[in-house]
Amino acid sequence: MKTLSPIKFACLSAAAALPFALSAPAMAQETTQPEVYVGAQGGYHDLGDNPLGKDGSPIYGVFAGVDVPVGPVLIVGAEGNYNLGSGVIDSEYGATGKIGVRVGDRGQLFARGGYQWVDVDVRKATGINTPAGFDDTSGDYLVGVGGQYKIGENTALRVTVDTLGFDTTRVAGGLAFNF
């Protein structure tokens, strides 16, 4: 095995460290603090095919989460949500993890995955009264994508598109407040 001379070793080490040295001032200007947010949202959750035609519900609710910068562009985070429905959905709630990228100074695109529970109003969905003790809550994994754009120093508009088990589609828009 051939050994490197001290001069060649120093030159290779400097060349390998150069990208990190050049990016350090830019990274120092980026925020490294977690960003906590809460918000309100509204949208529509389509539960899929129902023989009676009642297969979805307008939803409205709240969400809260935290985004943690991992570098100058990459973000990871966690979020929880709670929504009420005004159709066949009584309520829904869940939690997701997310990974995203910053787009420019104000934008963010993200993908997320987690678990969501949906409490269905069986009487509105089927026309049949729910028997006493019947559990009408069902859960499944959630995957989705979203984007947000800051419209002020501490506010952002956002849109998300999710699916539960690739059987349902949920689209929501909201307003987030950052702390």
Side-chain angles (χ1 to χ4, degrees):
M1 180 177 192
K2 191 174 182 182
T3 60
L4 290 176
S5 71
I7 293 174
K8 286 184 182 178
F9 181 75
C11 288
L12 287 173
S13 298
L18 185 61
F20 299 104
L22 293 175
S23 65
M27 286 182 178
Q29 294 173 0
E30 296 292 331
T31 179
T32 58
Q33 298 297 318
E35 193 171 85
V36 177
Y37 58 89
V38 297
Q41 66 185 359
Y44 189 81
H45 193 160
D46 183 353
L47 297 177
D49 294 331
N50 179 345
L52 300 176
K54 300 173 185 174
D55 59 358
S57 180
I59 56 169
Y60 47 93
V62 295
F63 57 91
V66 61
D67 285 341
V68 179
V70 179
V73 177
L74 187 64
I75 297 167
V76 296
E79 183 175 300
N81 70 81
Y82 181 80
N83 296 302
L84 296 172
S86 60
V88 298
I89 295 176
D90 280 334
S91 64
E92 60 179 31
Y93 52 94
T96 60
K98 73 182 210 180
I99 185 166
V101 293
R102 287 192 183 121
V103 179
D105 292 339
R106 297 182 170 269
Q108 182 187 121
L109 296 174
F110 56 87
R112 62 190 188 167
Y115 203 83
Q116 188 81 7
W117 290 268
V118 179
D119 181 17
V120 176
D121 186 328
V122 175
R123 187 186 55 74
K124 284 184 181 176
T126 65
I128 300 169
N129 287 332
T130 307
F134 180 76
D135 185 8
D136 56 0
T137 301
S138 177
D140 210 342
Y141 64 90
L142 175 146
V143 293
V145 295
Q148 65 185 40
Y149 186 79
K150 286 190 175 186
I151 58 172
E153 186 66 29
N154 294 322
T155 56
L157 290 174
R158 71 185 244 157
V159 174
T160 58
V161 178
D162 302 309
T163 181
L164 274 64
F166 293 100
D167 293 327
T168 74
T169 305
R170 180 176 72 174
V171 177
L175 181 64
F177 301 96
N178 303 334
F179 298 101

